[in-house]
């Protein structure tokens, strides 16, 4: 018999209505408003790059509205009058009780490290404009989960990225031991556990509150998952050659290049020779200059300081230098065109895959 | 608007959105549109109660129910389009 479920936090009327308003605004923003900016940009004529386009469009009302919303809708969502942060803070006791109840069940599946030193780039950046980040308050995981659908427009896309990725991984994984780096509140690891019931799936992340929620969600779904607080740059708790598949979704764009290089080396270390690395992130930007203009603008307006640097990296070369072979980089889902802009705004999802070299070849 | 929070926000985003009139216009419209949607939901509840489709006390502040979600979503799309059509429609 499982114990009765602890009460869960929820949104009151104002907060829920505000969330619906934010979602509706994002729909309009990603559709008609985006298309109006695209049409305006096409009238500008040839430009040398995204910066020139930016200057040419700076006074265009549709672009001003587009840019303003991209940035301020996020902060409104978190800290506006019906925002997600006050909503979670108001229910902190409910949240703490809920997480503590799950921690009491299967404590061996949640390994936190109270001495974890957060890297400066992580502590000092409000990724996605979440005030104070997602790593310090007990309710941070809940806010992040509430916000996730409105941040990336996934809720407005018909396919669920995590489930579709897990279905794909089920066909390519070279073994049953899977480690997801930067797992957040666990959408990828839960999808993996559903798609691969035989697999041993572990998620790691820097943020303790987010891992506590991931553990709670896994138990609520009766999935056997392990969560470990670890820095993706060293994957310290995980032994050499102990994993068949390393995954990371929406993770590497949050790393400055030196941290990304360290993460690739760490992934190589924990993988067995012949193991696979599969990363889903934002790298191949469709639509030439105009596509880069939108993506770089998104990075700037959405608290993503390291996103632009990722675009500049030669990822196949980085993968080889870290001890991987046969790098493959392709738009996701497969078949998305690279030569033209999408009809509606979307992030440039890219699948990055490589194989861990054999022992003696490894860097 | 004071939505901008501290942290490693680049000066560049300020450069881009320095236009104060746009900031004031969009900020107040966002707040007002949210209030408008909230008022619509409350009014809808009263109407439903008057028509006898809802046994709840009229104007109740109870959280959204699943059955109300589609109505709220459609209404949200309408108020947002009314606000943003001059820019994007
Ligand atoms: C945008 S979220 C993506 C979460 C999840 N993979 C998903 O797809 O929803 C990035 C996650 O990476 C974590 N993270 C950032 N830097 C990290 C690092 N150096 N080591 C481990 N986790 C990190 C953050 O705490 C956050 O949970």
């Amino acid at each position: 018999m499982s114990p009765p479920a602890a009460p869960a936090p929820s949104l009151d009327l104002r907060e829920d209505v505000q969330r619906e308003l934010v979602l509706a605004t994002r729909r309009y923003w990603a559709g008609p408003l985006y298309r109006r900016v695209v049409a305006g940009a096409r009238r500008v004529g040839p430009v040398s790059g995204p910066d020139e386009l930016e200057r040419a469009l700076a006074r265009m009302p549709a672009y001003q509205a587009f840019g303003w919303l991209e940035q301020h809708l996020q902060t409104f969502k978190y800290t506006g009058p019906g925002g997600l942060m006050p909503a979670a803070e108001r229910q902190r006791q409910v949240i703490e009780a809920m997480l503590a109840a799950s921690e009491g069940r299967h404590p061996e599946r949640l390994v936190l490290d109270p001495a974890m030193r957060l890297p400066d780039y992580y502590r000092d950046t409000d990724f996605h404009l979440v005030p104070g980040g997602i790593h310090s308050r007990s309710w941070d995981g809940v806010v992040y989960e509430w916000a996730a659908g409105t941040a990336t427009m996934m809720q407005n896309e018909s396919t669920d990225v995590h489930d579709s990725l897990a279905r794909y991984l089920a066909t390519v994984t070279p073994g049953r031991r899977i480690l997801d780096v930067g797992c957040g509140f666990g959408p990828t690891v839960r999808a993996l556990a559903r798609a691969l019931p035989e697999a041993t799936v572990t998620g790691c992340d820097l943020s303790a509150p987010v891992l506590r929620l991931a553990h709670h969600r896994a138990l609520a779904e009766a999935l056997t998952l392990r969560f470990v607080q670890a820095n993706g740059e060293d994957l310290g708790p995980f032994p050499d050659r102990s994993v068949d598949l390393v995954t990371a979704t929406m993770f590497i764009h949050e790393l400055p290049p030196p941290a990304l290089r360290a993460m690739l080396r760490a992934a190589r270390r924990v993988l067995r020779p012949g193991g696979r690395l599969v990363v889903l992130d934002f790298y191949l930007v469709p639509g030439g200059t105009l596509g880069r203009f939108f993506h770089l603008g998104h990075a700037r307006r959405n608290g993503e300081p390291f996103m632009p640097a990722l675009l500049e990296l030669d990822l196949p070369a980085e993968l080889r230098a870290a001890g991987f072979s046969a790098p493959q980089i392709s738009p996701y889902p497969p078949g998305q065109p690279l030569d033209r802009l999408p009809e509606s705004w979307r992030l440039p999802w890219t699948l990055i895959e490589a194989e861990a070299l054999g022992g003696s070849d490894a860097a | 608007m004071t939505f901008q929070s501290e942290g490693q926000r680049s000066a560049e985003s300020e450069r881009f959105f320095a236009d104060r009139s746009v900031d004031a216009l969009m900020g107040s419209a966002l707040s007002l549109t949210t209030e408008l949607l909230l008022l619509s939901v409350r009014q809808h509840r009263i109407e439903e109660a008057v028509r006898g489709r809802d046994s709840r006390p009229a104007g109740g502040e109870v959280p959204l129910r699943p059955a109300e979600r589609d109505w709220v979503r459609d209404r949200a799309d309408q108020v947002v389009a009314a606000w943003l059509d001059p820019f994007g429609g």
Side-chain angles (χ1 to χ4, degrees):
Chain A
M1 274 273 296
S2 50
S10 58
L11 298 178
D12 70 15
L13 181 66
R14 170 176 285 276
E15 292 152 357
D16 209 348
V17 164
Q18 177 170 314
R19 190 165 179 276
E20 287 295 346
L21 193 279
V22 167
L23 275 165
T25 310
R26 291 289 284 193
R27 281 195 287 277
Y28 193 97
W29 173 90
L33 193 51
Y34 162 82
R35 286 190 282 276
R36 176 62 75 89
V37 178
V38 171
R42 291 204 165 118
R43 284 195 294 274
V44 169
V47 288
S48 59
D51 282 350
E52 195 184 335
L53 199 49
E54 181 84 46
R55 284 191 293 277
L57 292 182
R59 302 256 73 80
M60 178 194 183
Y63 183 49
Q64 294 213 353
F66 180 89
W68 191 93
L69 285 171
E70 188 165 37
Q71 178 169 2
H72 293 287
L73 208 52
Q74 284 286 71
T75 38
F76 180 69
K77 178 174 83 180
Y78 292 114
T79 51
L84 300 176
M85 298 209 66
E89 190 168 5
R90 172 170 65 73
Q91 300 172 84
R92 64 185 295 172
Q93 282 165 347
V94 171
I95 293 170
E96 274 160 17
M98 175 185 89
L99 297 177
S102 288
E103 258 175 272
R105 296 169 56 207
H106 294 293
E108 77 287 359
R109 294 188 198 162
L110 177 66
V111 183
L112 299 180
D113 177 1
M116 172 63 67
R117 212 194 146 273
L118 300 177
D120 292 346
Y121 67 82
Y122 182 76
R123 218 192 30 236
D124 297 343
T125 306
D126 288 350
F127 290 104
H128 314 152
L129 308 187
V130 187
I134 57 164
H135 51 77
S136 54
R137 295 148 299 213
S138 59
W139 63 86
D140 279 347
V142 171
V143 171
Y144 179 34
E145 188 185 43
W146 278 337
T150 50
T152 62
M153 297 299 295
M154 279 193 310
Q155 203 158 323
N156 288 335
E157 284 186 9
S158 51
T159 55
D160 183 315
V161 168
H162 302 282
D163 281 314
S164 77
L165 179 69
R167 281 193 298 275
Y168 168 70
L169 289 171
T171 65
V172 299
T173 181
R176 290 165 27 169
R177 297 165 302 172
I178 304 179
L179 173 63
D180 186 47
V181 186
C183 66
F185 57 89
T188 306
V189 284
R190 286 200 301 281
L192 279 166
R194 289 190 293 261
L196 287 158
E198 302 292 298
T200 310
V201 186
T202 304
C204 74
D205 202 285
L206 273 175
S207 161
V210 154
L211 288 169
R212 293 177 72 200
L213 181 66
H215 174 65
H216 170 76
R217 287 276 171 263
L219 291 188
E221 256 193 74
L223 297 170
T224 306
L225 289 164
R226 228 175 122 242
F227 294 97
V228 179
Q229 190 174 10
N231 186 344
E233 288 176 70
D234 56 35
L235 297 174
F238 305 100
D240 294 4
R241 302 172 174 224
S242 59
V243 175
D244 299 301
L245 173 67
V246 168
T247 57
T249 53
M250 294 190 279
F251 168 63
I252 64 168
H253 71 270
E254 291 196 355
L255 303 178
L260 171 56
R261 291 188 183 108
M263 180 266 169
L264 294 178
R265 283 194 303 272
R268 170 64 194 87
R269 178 183 65 74
V270 301
L271 279 168
R272 68 159 170 83
R276 254 185 123 61
L277 172 69
V278 179
V279 170
L280 186 60
D281 220 285
F282 315 119
Y283 182 64
L284 297 177
V285 181
T289 300
L290 196 43
R292 289 175 76 84
F293 160 78
F294 279 109
H295 189 56
L296 295 173
H298 173 77
R300 199 171 59 236
R301 294 187 283 264
N302 195 40
E304 298 280 18
F306 308 119
M307 226 174 208
L310 177 62
L311 301 189
E312 302 307 321
L313 289 182
D314 178 350
L315 271 186
E318 299 288 348
L319 285 161
R320 286 197 190 90
F324 289 93
S325 66
Q328 290 169 19
I329 300 186
S330 52
Y332 191 85
Q336 291 287 321
L338 279 176
D339 58 344
R340 60 190 136 91
L341 280 180
E343 270 299 292
S344 298
W345 182 92
R346 73 191 285 277
L347 282 161
W349 295 96
T350 305
L351 196 62
I352 299 149
E353 300 178 83
E355 188 180 313
L357 283 171
S360 56
D361 312 326
Chain B
M1 293 297 293
T2 53
F3 291 152
Q4 182 88 7
S5 61
E6 303 304 317
Q8 201 185 57
R9 209 62 35 68
S10 67
E12 268 183 285
S13 56
E14 291 293 351
R15 167 178 72 89
F16 181 66
F17 299 110
D19 206 339
R20 286 188 179 200
S21 59
V22 173
D23 197 32
L25 185 74
M26 294 297 288
S28 38
L30 176 58
S31 303
L32 286 175
T33 309
T34 310
E35 291 307 315
L36 189 61
L37 182 60
L38 187 57
L39 286 175
S40 286
V41 174
R42 291 190 182 125
Q43 186 178 342
H44 180 67
R45 284 181 166 181
I46 293 171
E47 286 170 6
E48 293 292 286
V50 168
R51 291 194 190 107
R53 291 190 206 142
D54 190 344
S55 53
R56 239 179 255 239
E61 289 295 299
V62 290
L64 283 184
R65 290 165 298 163
E68 290 176 309
R69 186 74 62 186
D70 285 348
W71 185 90
V72 175
R73 210 159 274 172
D74 288 348
R75 188 79 186 115
D77 282 333
Q78 285 165 17
V79 295
V80 166
W83 161 33
L84 292 176
D85 269 351
F87 296 101

